[in-house]
Amino acid sequence: MAKKKSRLDFINMKKNGEKLTWVTAYDFPMASFAEAAEIDMILVGDSLGMVTLGYQGTIPVTMEDCISHCRAVRRGAPNTFVMGDMPFGSYQVSDEEAVRNAVRFLKEADMDSIKLEGGVRVKSRIKAIADAGILVCGHIGLTPQSSGTLGGFKAQGLDPDSARLVIEDALAVQEAGAFAILVEAIPPELSAFLAKKLTIPVYGIGGGQCDGQVLICGDMMGMFQAFTPKFVKVYANVGETITSAFKEYVEDVRSGKFPGDEHCYHVRKGFEEEYAAMLKEFE
Ligand code: KIV
């Protein structure tokens, strides 16, 4: 079994040009599959709102949802670095509230770190949480929790003015004391620039080549079918596999093919006649 990685491993991986592998998981089975595959890091993303809770976006996700799913993931992946994602509303109000909620991820769900969205505008939040001794990962570029203000789920940094804002956000996140930064949906030129410029690791989703990659398990496994962003590579069609298995089950039950004799518990040997006689008594 691979050893659980730490912040120092992530820094060394960046120095050595070793790419970090990272996926989301929201429950025990997915987390245990990720750990069995020796994935370096798991994110219990607030994407759980869309992928597992059936919301249209991430805004309705609560701290209670996150803590509950983080606990399940920790049980499934006890030897993997796991990051909890701070949901909308858990860090917007004040630095104090942000620290209080970040602490909950560690104390109540045994997380190794937390992630929050934003750059310049959440600099004081990142600093306050990092100063409390908690590993913080920034998240800039396309930030789904503020997709409303971005005009939708839109790639960022596509022109020089927009790219300048992304760079300013990245510098603010590093300066505030984050141990890593996630860039979402920005051009590969910009991710590569940031990975070279920053001393902390820069991981991407829809950011081209940088220090590592994250994908949402529902997207890559074909389990989230509402839409598939351009940056997703689909590695399996688990949704189709499950639907066709359910269909086969429905046919089997309706036709009497299931359960078969091999799925039944049989009367204890030597009691068959007595058993039949007892049933007869009740006819
Ligand atoms: O919530 C999430 O899954 C994310 C992804 C962009 C990785 O933040």
Side-chain angles (χ1 to χ4, degrees):
M1 184 195 308
K3 192 176 146 277
K4 177 168 157 178
K5 294 210 165 57
S6 70
R7 183 182 146 260
L8 294 181
D9 293 312
F10 304 140
I11 290 170
N12 283 332
M13 287 170 79
K14 177 180 172 94
K15 277 194 192 136
N16 300 333
E18 245 181 276
K19 308 269 189 186
L20 175 123
T21 59
W22 188 13
V23 293
T24 68
Y26 317 104
D27 57 22
F28 178 92
M30 196 61 82
S32 59
F33 298 145
E35 182 159 297
E38 302 195 359
I39 293 276
D40 295 315
M41 195 190 285
I42 294 176
L43 171 69
V44 188
D46 65 348
S47 50
L48 77 89
M50 297 158 88
V51 180
T52 70
L53 300 178
Y55 295 131
Q56 296 284 315
T58 57
I59 301 299
V61 175
T62 65
M63 273 299 294
E64 304 324 315
D65 293 330
C66 290
I67 296 289
S68 163
H69 285 269
C70 284
R71 283 179 171 158
V73 167
R74 173 51 81 211
R75 289 191 287 271
N79 301 305
T80 303
F81 186 98
V82 184
M83 184 185 292
D85 205 6
M86 296 195 68
F88 183 73
S90 68
Y91 60 96
Q92 274 75 9
V93 174
S94 66
D95 290 353
E96 288 72 18
E97 201 168 298
V99 174
R100 202 170 298 119
N101 282 319
V103 165
R104 287 192 64 193
F105 277 93
L106 273 68
K107 282 186 85 82
E108 296 176 35
D110 195 19
M111 293 292 97
D112 297 299
S113 72
I114 61 93
K115 172 171 87 58
L116 52 78
E117 295 184 8
V120 173
R121 71 188 157 81
V122 293
K123 191 172 175 185
S124 74
R125 304 289 192 272
I126 295 176
K127 181 163 176 6
I129 298 169
D131 285 350
I134 296 170
L135 290 175
V136 187
C137 178
H139 179 168
I140 61 168
L142 167 53
T143 45
Q145 290 175 10
S146 42
S147 59
T149 57
L150 298 176
F153 290 91
K154 293 215 160 75
Q156 302 294 304
L158 302 183
D159 58 57
D161 284 345
S162 168
R164 187 181 296 277
L165 295 178
V166 175
I167 293 170
E168 284 167 3
D169 278 342
L171 293 173
V173 167
Q174 174 167 279
E175 228 174 272
F179 83 99
I181 185 163
L182 172 64
V183 293
E184 178 166 354
I186 64 171
E189 293 85 345
L190 186 51
S191 306
F193 172 81
L194 291 174
K196 203 158 167 220
K197 169 94 184 149
L198 300 189
T199 53
I200 59 174
V202 175
Y203 304 130
I205 180 161
Q209 295 289 340
C210 42
D211 296 319
Q213 298 294 321
V214 62
L215 276 182
I216 293 179
C217 61
D219 290 336
M220 67 188 292
M221 297 303 173
M223 294 172 78
F224 178 71
Q225 290 166 343
F227 62 90
T228 305
K230 179 184 167 71
F231 55 68
V232 172
K233 179 170 174 185
V234 178
Y235 285 86
N237 276 309
V238 176
E240 274 176 24
T241 305
I242 292 174
T243 306
S244 78
F246 280 148
K247 281 186 179 160
E248 195 180 330
Y249 167 71
V250 166
E251 277 170 27
D252 281 359
V253 170
R254 287 186 181 150
S255 68
K257 198 169 159 195
F258 176 83
D261 195 50
E262 69 277 27
H263 305 116
C264 293
Y265 300 93
H266 293 289
V267 172
R268 191 160 288 139
K269 283 226 170 335
F271 285 89
E272 293 86 349
E273 275 180 28
E274 201 179 320
Y275 205 94
M278 180 277 296
L279 290 180
K280 223 166 175 49
E281 274 175 39
F282 288 90
E283 270 178 7

